[in-house]
Amino acid sequence: MRIVKRALIVGVTALMSGFASSALAAEFNFSIHHFLSPKAGTHTKMIEPWVKNIEEASGGRIKFEIFPAMALGGKPPELYNQVRDGVADIIWTLPGYTPGVFPRVEVFELPSVHKGNAVATNKAIQDLAADLAEDFKDIHPLLVHVHAGNALHLTSKDVQSLADMKGLKVRSPSRTGAWMLESWGAEPVGMPVPALPQALAKNNIDGGLIPFEIAIPLKIAELTDYSVELNAGQRFGTSTFLFAMNKASYNSLPDDLKKVIDDNSGAAFADAMGKVWDDVEPIGIQLARDKGNKVTALTAEASAEFATKAEMVGARWIKEVSGNGIDGDALMAKAKAAIAAHSDK
């Protein structure tokens, strides 16, 4: 009798546990795919906190599974197609990995536009959301943002003037970055950032354009001897990043859960992430110095040489996009004004 009673109790407990588990089961389960390691700042300081906020605000009705380092398959340039086609519900990637798809958002990558302040540029992107909307018509953008900006990281040659760049093979993050390198007399080499450490280790390239933030998880300081910024901490342009959701996945949500997603997207998210990227740069700089690397800022005179070339890159971009029906001149002026306005705050 005692055995029967104990079995009955165990059975009821298991049944109740099953009911509780069922009651707590998420109504919507979404995948998040990106190309960086789970130790990268994007994963730990951006995606994981965002996931936690959404899951808590939805009362557990929305759940996510994060797949870092291309764990769902494919290569980084395929991430945009994956989210557009529903292979992944959400992705984080660079628009620059799919040239021609995001002509408008490129304006914020230009070296004459971004000034090294991720918060100011992120807020400016939000201000121009309507101007950029056509670029994102096939997906649901959650956040379009930048990092603090690209510094030059070099294996064996210190760069202190424009003339020092001639003939160097340098990894470019985007086609506008490649234009910038060409204007310097360097040879641009396009590659996704995870491939950069191996390319440096094998001496296939002389350096790369990346922020100090991403240099930390990639251990770039162990593969290079020099890092260079422009005068007063300004950078050689930046990269734009896209955190986006499949349209059908977003539209599958009821209005109250769409609001949870919306409340954790856009302006406030952009501001917080801008601060994250700006705050991590000094850490990366100090890490490079601790490794014995030389980290320098160019003189005002040398920076002016690079600025002249930056204006040429901007003019090239305006000419190209204007040929495709986009008023590049107006868009650039608007982007610069928005960044200036937020830089004063």
Side-chain angles (χ1 to χ4, degrees), residues 160-161 229-233 297-308:
Q160 292 301 308
S161 70
E229 302 176 286
L230 290 165
N231 188 253
L298 296 177
T299 64
E301 292 76 17
S303 296
E305 293 181 311
F306 284 90
T308 298

Side-chain angles (χ1 to χ4, degrees), residues 4 36 48 87 91 119 121 123 133 176 178 184 208 237 240 248 259 282 296 302 343:
V4 172
L36 293 177
E48 285 187 330
V87 175
I91 56 88
V119 171
T121 299
K123 288 183 174 182
T176 55
W184 298 346
T240 53
K259 186 176 186 302
T296 58
S343 297

Side-chain angles (χ1 to χ4, degrees), residues 19 68 91 98 143 172 236 260 266 318 323 325 329 332:
F19 284 147
I91 56 88
T98 47
L143 178 65
S172 170
F236 302 98
V260 170
I318 289 172
D329 197 40
M332 181 186 286

Side-chain angles (χ1 to χ4, degrees), residues 183-329:
S183 76
W184 298 346
E187 181 181 338
V189 181
M191 67 178 69
V193 76
L196 179 59
Q198 186 176 26
L200 291 169
K202 291 185 173 182
N203 293 316
N204 292 334
I205 58 175
D206 299 298
L209 279 168
I210 58 169
F212 285 92
E213 164 260 322
I214 198 63
I216 297 173
L218 295 181
K219 299 183 178 179
I220 299 302
E222 298 176 12
L223 298 166
T224 56
D225 294 321
Y226 305 97
S227 295
V228 183
E229 302 176 286
L230 290 165
N231 188 253
Q234 293 195 24
R235 297 296 175 85
F236 302 98
T238 189
S239 296
T240 53
F241 298 89
L242 173 64
F243 192 46
M245 191 169 187
N246 173 266
K247 271 196 166 183
S249 298
Y250 177 78
N251 289 330
S252 70
L253 295 169
D255 288 344
D256 62 328
L257 292 185
K258 283 181 181 175
K259 186 176 186 302
V260 170
I261 297 289
D262 295 345
D263 287 348
N264 287 274
S265 306
F269 194 19
D271 180 47
M273 288 306 100
K275 290 174 182 173
V276 166
W277 305 146
D278 283 340
D279 289 348
V280 79
E281 288 300 285
I283 298 171
I285 290 171
Q286 188 57 51
L287 178 63
R289 287 181 171 142
D290 291 344
K291 294 291 183 181
N293 292 7
K294 182 181 179 183
V295 182
T296 58
L298 296 177
T299 64
E301 292 76 17
S303 296
E305 293 181 311
F306 284 90
T308 298
K309 298 299 182 181
E311 292 298 333
M312 292 171 58
V313 172
R316 179 176 176 178
W317 177 83
I318 289 172
K319 182 177 180 180
E320 179 173 304
V321 299
S322 296
N324 294 324
I326 300 170
D327 190 342
D329 197 40

Side-chain angles (χ1 to χ4, degrees), residues 62-111:
I62 298 176
K63 292 289 183 182
F64 299 97
E65 186 171 2
I66 307 172
F67 296 88
M70 300 306 297
L72 287 179
K75 298 179 179 180
E78 298 171 31
L79 283 164
Y80 168 70
N81 289 343
Q82 288 183 359
V83 76
R84 183 195 63 193
D85 299 339
V87 175
D89 295 298
I90 296 172
I91 56 88
W92 180 85
T93 189
L94 282 82
Y97 284 174
T98 47
V101 178
F102 304 96
R104 295 163 183 81
V105 80
E106 277 183 335
V107 70
F108 288 102
E109 299 178 353
L110 297 172

